[in-house]
mmCIF file of all heavy atoms in Angstrom:
data_model
loop_
_atom_site.group_PDB
_atom_site.id
_atom_site.type_symbol
_atom_site.label_atom_id
_atom_site.label_comp_id
_atom_site.label_asym_id
_atom_site.label_seq_id
_atom_site.Cartn_x
_atom_site.Cartn_y
_atom_site.Cartn_z
ATOM 1 N N PHE A 1 26.830 13.495 2.836
ATOM 2 C CA PHE A 1 25.805 12.831 3.654
ATOM 3 C C PHE A 1 25.219 13.824 4.715
ATOM 4 O O PHE A 1 25.902 14.764 5.089
ATOM 5 C CB PHE A 1 26.366 11.589 4.370
ATOM 6 C CG PHE A 1 26.354 10.285 3.564
ATOM 7 C CD1 PHE A 1 27.066 10.215 2.342
ATOM 8 C CD2 PHE A 1 25.602 9.195 3.953
ATOM 9 C CE1 PHE A 1 27.025 9.094 1.629
ATOM 10 C CE2 PHE A 1 25.613 8.033 3.217
ATOM 11 C CZ PHE A 1 26.313 7.985 2.065
ATOM 12 N N ALA A 2 24.078 13.451 5.226
ATOM 13 C CA ALA A 2 23.549 14.023 6.387
ATOM 14 C C ALA A 2 23.934 13.126 7.556
ATOM 15 O O ALA A 2 23.724 11.885 7.505
ATOM 16 C CB ALA A 2 22.036 14.159 6.353
ATOM 17 N N PHE A 3 24.558 13.774 8.636
ATOM 18 C CA PHE A 3 25.034 12.988 9.779
ATOM 19 C C PHE A 3 24.342 13.498 11.042
ATOM 20 O O PHE A 3 23.913 14.621 11.077
ATOM 21 C CB PHE A 3 26.511 13.172 9.947
ATOM 22 C CG PHE A 3 27.326 12.552 8.807
ATOM 23 C CD1 PHE A 3 27.754 13.389 7.757
ATOM 24 C CD2 PHE A 3 27.757 11.242 8.832
ATOM 25 C CE1 PHE A 3 28.539 12.842 6.732
ATOM 26 C CE2 PHE A 3 28.515 10.714 7.815
ATOM 27 C CZ PHE A 3 28.875 11.496 6.764
ATOM 28 N N SER A 4 24.359 12.682 12.027
ATOM 29 C CA SER A 4 24.061 13.078 13.437
ATOM 30 C C SER A 4 25.072 12.407 14.296
ATOM 31 O O SER A 4 26.148 11.991 13.900
ATOM 32 C CB SER A 4 22.680 12.730 13.764
ATOM 33 O OG SER A 4 22.297 13.290 14.996
ATOM 34 N N THR A 5 24.755 12.315 15.632
ATOM 35 C CA THR A 5 25.612 11.563 16.536
ATOM 36 C C THR A 5 24.776 10.541 17.335
ATOM 37 O O THR A 5 23.531 10.531 17.234
ATOM 38 C CB THR A 5 26.302 12.537 17.491
ATOM 39 O OG1 THR A 5 25.332 13.005 18.432
ATOM 40 C CG2 THR A 5 26.969 13.694 16.822
ATOM 41 N N THR A 6 25.449 9.775 18.112
ATOM 42 C CA THR A 6 24.716 8.769 18.963
ATOM 43 C C THR A 6 23.880 9.515 19.992
ATOM 44 O O THR A 6 23.077 8.848 20.667
ATOM 45 C CB THR A 6 25.696 7.807 19.570
ATOM 46 O OG1 THR A 6 26.742 8.502 20.288
ATOM 47 C CG2 THR A 6 26.355 6.919 18.484
ATOM 48 N N ALA A 7 24.055 10.774 20.185
ATOM 49 C CA ALA A 7 23.217 11.505 21.117
ATOM 50 C C ALA A 7 21.778 11.652 20.651
ATOM 51 O O ALA A 7 20.890 11.913 21.451
ATOM 52 C CB ALA A 7 23.774 12.932 21.402
ATOM 53 N N MET A 8 21.592 11.518 19.337
ATOM 54 C CA MET A 8 20.175 11.504 18.785
ATOM 55 C C MET A 8 19.551 10.165 19.064
ATOM 56 O O MET A 8 20.185 9.123 18.928
ATOM 57 C CB MET A 8 20.193 11.755 17.255
ATOM 58 C CG MET A 8 18.785 11.685 16.621
ATOM 59 S SD MET A 8 18.832 12.088 14.861
ATOM 60 C CE MET A 8 18.827 13.848 14.945
ATOM 61 N N SER A 9 18.301 10.171 19.448
ATOM 62 C CA SER A 9 17.617 8.931 19.772
ATOM 63 C C SER A 9 17.407 8.102 18.564
ATOM 64 O O SER A 9 17.281 8.613 17.426
ATOM 65 C CB SER A 9 16.288 9.223 20.476
ATOM 66 O OG SER A 9 15.292 9.694 19.581
ATOM 67 N N ASP A 10 17.282 6.744 18.739
ATOM 68 C CA ASP A 10 17.078 5.853 17.574
ATOM 69 C C ASP A 10 15.750 6.228 16.958
ATOM 70 O O ASP A 10 15.660 6.186 15.678
ATOM 71 C CB ASP A 10 17.056 4.429 18.079
ATOM 72 C CG ASP A 10 18.384 3.932 18.552
ATOM 73 O OD1 ASP A 10 19.391 4.740 18.384
ATOM 74 O OD2 ASP A 10 18.513 2.756 18.915
ATOM 75 N N ASP A 11 14.752 6.564 17.708
ATOM 76 C CA ASP A 11 13.406 6.830 17.134
ATOM 77 C C ASP A 11 13.468 8.161 16.276
ATOM 78 O O ASP A 11 12.828 8.164 15.190
ATOM 79 C CB ASP A 11 12.368 6.970 18.265
ATOM 80 C CG ASP A 11 12.005 5.689 18.960
ATOM 81 O OD1 ASP A 11 12.295 4.603 18.327
ATOM 82 O OD2 ASP A 11 11.408 5.710 20.036
ATOM 83 N N THR A 12 14.177 9.120 16.723
ATOM 84 C CA THR A 12 14.292 10.353 15.993
ATOM 85 C C THR A 12 15.047 10.136 14.651
ATOM 86 O O THR A 12 14.648 10.532 13.601
ATOM 87 C CB THR A 12 14.933 11.478 16.757
ATOM 88 O OG1 THR A 12 14.128 11.748 17.956
ATOM 89 C CG2 THR A 12 15.033 12.769 15.965
ATOM 90 N N ALA A 13 16.138 9.395 14.750
ATOM 91 C CA ALA A 13 16.948 9.104 13.522
ATOM 92 C C ALA A 13 16.111 8.243 12.549
ATOM 93 O O ALA A 13 16.204 8.448 11.331
ATOM 94 C CB ALA A 13 18.213 8.350 13.948
ATOM 95 N N TYR A 14 15.338 7.308 13.088
ATOM 96 C CA TYR A 14 14.450 6.475 12.307
ATOM 97 C C TYR A 14 13.460 7.342 11.553
ATOM 98 O O TYR A 14 13.218 7.278 10.308
ATOM 99 C CB TYR A 14 13.753 5.417 13.097
ATOM 100 C CG TYR A 14 12.705 4.632 12.383
ATOM 101 C CD1 TYR A 14 12.999 3.556 11.607
ATOM 102 C CD2 TYR A 14 11.351 4.989 12.454
ATOM 103 C CE1 TYR A 14 12.035 2.806 10.928
ATOM 104 C CE2 TYR A 14 10.350 4.312 11.821
ATOM 105 C CZ TYR A 14 10.737 3.176 11.070
ATOM 106 O OH TYR A 14 9.741 2.471 10.395
ATOM 107 N N LEU A 15 12.744 8.230 12.315
ATOM 108 C CA LEU A 15 11.708 9.117 11.754
ATOM 109 C C LEU A 15 12.309 10.021 10.703
ATOM 110 O O LEU A 15 11.730 10.164 9.591
ATOM 111 C CB LEU A 15 11.059 9.934 12.863
ATOM 112 C CG LEU A 15 10.076 11.035 12.426
ATOM 113 C CD1 LEU A 15 8.875 10.417 11.781
ATOM 114 C CD2 LEU A 15 9.674 11.893 13.591
ATOM 115 N N LEU A 16 13.406 10.662 10.911
ATOM 116 C CA LEU A 16 14.006 11.583 9.969
ATOM 117 C C LEU A 16 14.458 10.827 8.693
ATOM 118 O O LEU A 16 14.183 11.331 7.581
ATOM 119 C CB LEU A 16 15.210 12.243 10.602
ATOM 120 C CG LEU A 16 15.953 13.286 9.788
ATOM 121 C CD1 LEU A 16 14.956 14.444 9.298
ATOM 122 C CD2 LEU A 16 17.061 13.927 10.575
ATOM 123 N N THR A 17 15.079 9.662 8.864
ATOM 124 C CA THR A 17 15.543 8.923 7.649
ATOM 125 C C THR A 17 14.372 8.419 6.858
ATOM 126 O O THR A 17 14.347 8.499 5.638
ATOM 127 C CB THR A 17 16.429 7.731 8.089
ATOM 128 O OG1 THR A 17 17.518 8.229 8.903
ATOM 129 C CG2 THR A 17 16.957 6.985 6.924
ATOM 130 N N LYS A 18 13.405 7.830 7.473
ATOM 131 C CA LYS A 18 12.233 7.347 6.836
ATOM 132 C C LYS A 18 11.437 8.466 6.055
ATOM 133 O O LYS A 18 11.108 8.266 4.941
ATOM 134 C CB LYS A 18 11.269 6.709 7.879
ATOM 135 C CG LYS A 18 9.997 6.130 7.293
ATOM 136 C CD LYS A 18 9.229 5.414 8.442
ATOM 137 C CE LYS A 18 7.954 4.746 7.956
ATOM 138 N NZ LYS A 18 6.860 5.699 7.542
ATOM 139 N N THR A 19 11.327 9.618 6.703
ATOM 140 C CA THR A 19 10.615 10.698 6.109
ATOM 141 C C THR A 19 11.323 11.220 4.883
ATOM 142 O O THR A 19 10.797 11.536 3.816
ATOM 143 C CB THR A 19 10.383 11.853 7.122
ATOM 144 O OG1 THR A 19 9.709 11.320 8.237
ATOM 145 C CG2 THR A 19 9.591 12.954 6.483
ATOM 146 N N PHE A 20 12.716 11.297 4.978
ATOM 147 C CA PHE A 20 13.476 11.740 3.884
ATOM 148 C C PHE A 20 13.254 10.896 2.631
ATOM 149 O O PHE A 20 12.954 11.399 1.538
ATOM 150 C CB PHE A 20 15.006 11.711 4.211
ATOM 151 C CG PHE A 20 15.877 11.902 2.982
ATOM 152 C CD1 PHE A 20 15.993 13.160 2.308
ATOM 153 C CD2 PHE A 20 16.530 10.830 2.431
ATOM 154 C CE1 PHE A 20 16.756 13.237 1.201
ATOM 155 C CE2 PHE A 20 17.330 10.888 1.281
ATOM 156 C CZ PHE A 20 17.422 12.193 0.640
ATOM 157 N N TRP A 21 13.378 9.553 2.799
ATOM 158 C CA TRP A 21 13.225 8.700 1.622
ATOM 159 C C TRP A 21 11.749 8.737 1.064
ATOM 160 O O TRP A 21 11.582 8.639 -0.080
ATOM 161 C CB TRP A 21 13.692 7.285 1.963
ATOM 162 C CG TRP A 21 15.185 7.199 2.056
ATOM 163 C CD1 TRP A 21 15.923 7.020 3.246
ATOM 164 C CD2 TRP A 21 16.149 7.322 0.983
ATOM 165 N NE1 TRP A 21 17.243 7.045 2.912
ATOM 166 C CE2 TRP A 21 17.422 7.206 1.599
ATOM 167 C CE3 TRP A 21 16.051 7.543 -0.358
ATOM 168 C CZ2 TRP A 21 18.585 7.268 0.865
ATOM 169 C CZ3 TRP A 21 17.169 7.598 -1.145
ATOM 170 C CH2 TRP A 21 18.419 7.500 -0.521
ATOM 171 N N GLU A 22 10.794 8.791 1.995
ATOM 172 C CA GLU A 22 9.422 8.840 1.497
ATOM 173 C C GLU A 22 9.104 10.114 0.795
ATOM 174 O O GLU A 22 8.176 10.173 -0.075
ATOM 175 C CB GLU A 22 8.504 8.641 2.721
ATOM 176 C CG GLU A 22 8.513 7.275 3.252
ATOM 177 C CD GLU A 22 7.585 7.076 4.447
ATOM 178 O OE1 GLU A 22 7.100 8.049 5.007
ATOM 179 O OE2 GLU A 22 7.373 5.871 4.853
ATOM 180 N N GLU A 23 9.838 11.202 1.112
ATOM 181 C CA GLU A 23 9.577 12.528 0.484
ATOM 182 C C GLU A 23 10.528 12.740 -0.689
ATOM 183 O O GLU A 23 10.485 13.816 -1.319
ATOM 184 C CB GLU A 23 9.698 13.620 1.563
ATOM 185 C CG GLU A 23 8.609 13.615 2.571
ATOM 186 C CD GLU A 23 7.220 13.809 1.985
ATOM 187 O OE1 GLU A 23 7.057 14.832 1.234
ATOM 188 O OE2 GLU A 23 6.331 13.047 2.289
ATOM 189 N N LYS A 24 11.495 11.857 -0.976
ATOM 190 C CA LYS A 24 12.484 12.083 -1.943
ATOM 191 C C LYS A 24 11.921 12.369 -3.310
ATOM 192 O O LYS A 24 12.416 13.290 -4.080
ATOM 193 C CB LYS A 24 13.463 10.896 -2.048
ATOM 194 C CG LYS A 24 14.918 11.306 -2.298
ATOM 195 C CD LYS A 24 15.230 11.398 -3.773
ATOM 196 C CE LYS A 24 15.273 10.055 -4.474
ATOM 197 N NZ LYS A 24 15.693 10.202 -5.889
ATOM 198 N N ALA A 25 10.868 11.644 -3.749
ATOM 199 C CA ALA A 25 10.265 11.913 -5.032
ATOM 200 C C ALA A 25 9.752 13.330 -5.108
ATOM 201 O O ALA A 25 9.867 14.000 -6.152
ATOM 202 C CB ALA A 25 9.174 10.894 -5.285
ATOM 203 N N ALA A 26 9.063 13.762 -4.070
ATOM 204 C CA ALA A 26 8.563 15.133 -4.019
ATOM 205 C C ALA A 26 9.696 16.159 -4.090
ATOM 206 O O ALA A 26 9.562 17.224 -4.765
ATOM 207 C CB ALA A 26 7.702 15.340 -2.801
ATOM 208 N N LEU A 27 10.758 15.902 -3.380
ATOM 209 C CA LEU A 27 11.922 16.742 -3.424
ATOM 210 C C LEU A 27 12.497 16.878 -4.861
ATOM 211 O O LEU A 27 12.840 17.977 -5.296
ATOM 212 C CB LEU A 27 13.006 16.284 -2.450
ATOM 213 C CG LEU A 27 12.816 16.537 -0.983
ATOM 214 C CD1 LEU A 27 13.781 15.685 -0.146
ATOM 215 C CD2 LEU A 27 13.048 18.045 -0.642
ATOM 216 N N ALA A 28 12.626 15.714 -5.526
ATOM 217 C CA ALA A 28 13.133 15.699 -6.867
ATOM 218 C C ALA A 28 12.227 16.448 -7.860
ATOM 219 O O ALA A 28 12.662 16.992 -8.843
ATOM 220 C CB ALA A 28 13.330 14.272 -7.322
ATOM 221 N N GLY A 29 10.888 16.433 -7.551
ATOM 222 C CA GLY A 29 10.014 17.229 -8.351
ATOM 223 C C GLY A 29 10.127 18.655 -8.195
ATOM 224 O O GLY A 29 9.846 19.477 -9.066
ATOM 225 N N GLU A 30 10.662 19.060 -7.059
ATOM 226 C CA GLU A 30 10.840 20.524 -6.754
ATOM 227 C C GLU A 30 12.154 21.036 -7.324
ATOM 228 O O GLU A 30 12.293 22.117 -7.853
ATOM 229 C CB GLU A 30 10.798 20.753 -5.234
ATOM 230 C CG GLU A 30 10.997 22.261 -4.837
ATOM 231 C CD GLU A 30 10.831 22.404 -3.360
ATOM 232 O OE1 GLU A 30 10.492 21.463 -2.581
ATOM 233 O OE2 GLU A 30 11.078 23.550 -2.918
ATOM 234 N N SER A 31 13.284 20.195 -7.136
ATOM 235 C CA SER A 31 14.615 20.552 -7.561
ATOM 236 C C SER A 31 15.239 19.317 -8.131
ATOM 237 O O SER A 31 15.359 18.301 -7.466
ATOM 238 C CB SER A 31 15.454 21.142 -6.465
ATOM 239 O OG SER A 31 14.930 22.344 -5.964
ATOM 240 N N ARG A 32 15.823 19.451 -9.339
ATOM 241 C CA ARG A 32 16.326 18.292 -10.045
ATOM 242 C C ARG A 32 17.557 17.606 -9.344
ATOM 243 O O ARG A 32 17.874 16.489 -9.587
ATOM 244 C CB ARG A 32 16.767 18.691 -11.464
ATOM 245 C CG ARG A 32 15.552 18.860 -12.401
ATOM 246 C CD ARG A 32 15.974 19.051 -13.824
ATOM 247 N NE ARG A 32 16.571 20.391 -13.947
ATOM 248 C CZ ARG A 32 17.281 20.794 -14.973
ATOM 249 N NH1 ARG A 32 17.511 19.983 -16.010
ATOM 250 N NH2 ARG A 32 17.796 22.005 -15.031
ATOM 251 N N TRP A 33 18.279 18.402 -8.535
ATOM 252 C CA TRP A 33 19.477 17.840 -7.925
ATOM 253 C C TRP A 33 19.212 16.651 -6.965
ATOM 254 O O TRP A 33 20.033 15.801 -6.774
ATOM 255 C CB TRP A 33 20.328 18.882 -7.192
ATOM 256 C CG TRP A 33 19.597 19.835 -6.233
ATOM 257 C CD1 TRP A 33 18.666 19.498 -5.301
ATOM 258 C CD2 TRP A 33 19.733 21.250 -6.234
ATOM 259 N NE1 TRP A 33 18.265 20.687 -4.698
ATOM 260 C CE2 TRP A 33 18.868 21.758 -5.224
ATOM 261 C CE3 TRP A 33 20.525 22.157 -6.942
ATOM 262 C CZ2 TRP A 33 18.789 23.086 -4.869
ATOM 263 C CZ3 TRP A 33 20.440 23.501 -6.583
ATOM 264 C CH2 TRP A 33 19.566 23.968 -5.605
ATOM 265 N N TRP A 34 17.948 16.531 -6.503
ATOM 266 C CA TRP A 34 17.617 15.396 -5.690
ATOM 267 C C TRP A 34 17.468 14.079 -6.483
ATOM 268 O O TRP A 34 17.497 12.991 -5.909
ATOM 269 C CB TRP A 34 16.325 15.661 -4.881
ATOM 270 C CG TRP A 34 16.457 16.775 -3.930
ATOM 271 C CD1 TRP A 34 16.017 18.043 -4.008
ATOM 272 C CD2 TRP A 34 17.070 16.712 -2.581
ATOM 273 N NE1 TRP A 34 16.274 18.745 -2.867
ATOM 274 C CE2 TRP A 34 16.967 17.971 -2.003
ATOM 275 C CE3 TRP A 34 17.780 15.696 -1.934
ATOM 276 C CZ2 TRP A 34 17.477 18.250 -0.738
ATOM 277 C CZ3 TRP A 34 18.270 15.986 -0.642
ATOM 278 C CH2 TRP A 34 18.100 17.268 -0.053
ATOM 279 N N LYS A 35 17.292 14.209 -7.783
ATOM 280 C CA LYS A 35 17.101 13.028 -8.611
ATOM 281 C C LYS A 35 18.325 12.073 -8.525
ATOM 282 O O LYS A 35 18.201 10.840 -8.752
ATOM 283 C CB LYS A 35 16.853 13.399 -10.049
ATOM 284 C CG LYS A 35 15.460 14.036 -10.276
ATOM 285 C CD LYS A 35 15.222 14.364 -11.771
ATOM 286 C CE LYS A 35 13.863 14.985 -11.906
ATOM 287 N NZ LYS A 35 13.610 15.294 -13.394
ATOM 288 N N ALA A 36 19.507 12.638 -8.334
ATOM 289 C CA ALA A 36 20.724 11.808 -8.358
ATOM 290 C C ALA A 36 20.977 11.059 -7.083
ATOM 291 O O ALA A 36 21.876 10.237 -6.967
ATOM 292 C CB ALA A 36 21.943 12.723 -8.660
ATOM 293 N N VAL A 37 20.113 11.286 -6.093
ATOM 294 C CA VAL A 37 20.244 10.585 -4.716
ATOM 295 C C VAL A 37 19.516 9.303 -4.826
ATOM 296 O O VAL A 37 18.299 9.251 -5.064
ATOM 297 C CB VAL A 37 19.701 11.468 -3.643
ATOM 298 C CG1 VAL A 37 19.872 10.751 -2.274
ATOM 299 C CG2 VAL A 37 20.527 12.795 -3.637
ATOM 300 N N ASP A 38 20.115 8.193 -4.565
ATOM 301 C CA ASP A 38 19.482 6.859 -4.430
ATOM 302 C C ASP A 38 20.205 6.064 -3.398
ATOM 303 O O ASP A 38 21.286 6.397 -2.974
ATOM 304 C CB ASP A 38 19.422 6.150 -5.790
ATOM 305 C CG ASP A 38 20.823 5.902 -6.383
ATOM 306 O OD1 ASP A 38 21.610 5.241 -5.635
ATOM 307 O OD2 ASP A 38 21.076 6.212 -7.474
ATOM 308 N N PRO A 39 19.551 4.980 -2.851
ATOM 309 C CA PRO A 39 20.128 4.180 -1.823
ATOM 310 C C PRO A 39 21.510 3.573 -2.163
ATOM 311 O O PRO A 39 22.257 3.231 -1.227
ATOM 312 C CB PRO A 39 19.097 3.072 -1.631
ATOM 313 C CG PRO A 39 17.816 3.664 -2.007
ATOM 314 C CD PRO A 39 18.193 4.601 -3.219
#
């Protein structure tokens, strides 16, 4: 997993997590290893 700590703000953690999942399809198109990642 990707981890952080409670020192990271909620807004930053939200933005990073949201962006990751929204870009996951593009990542999988670039490298096949991302295809195995799902919620």
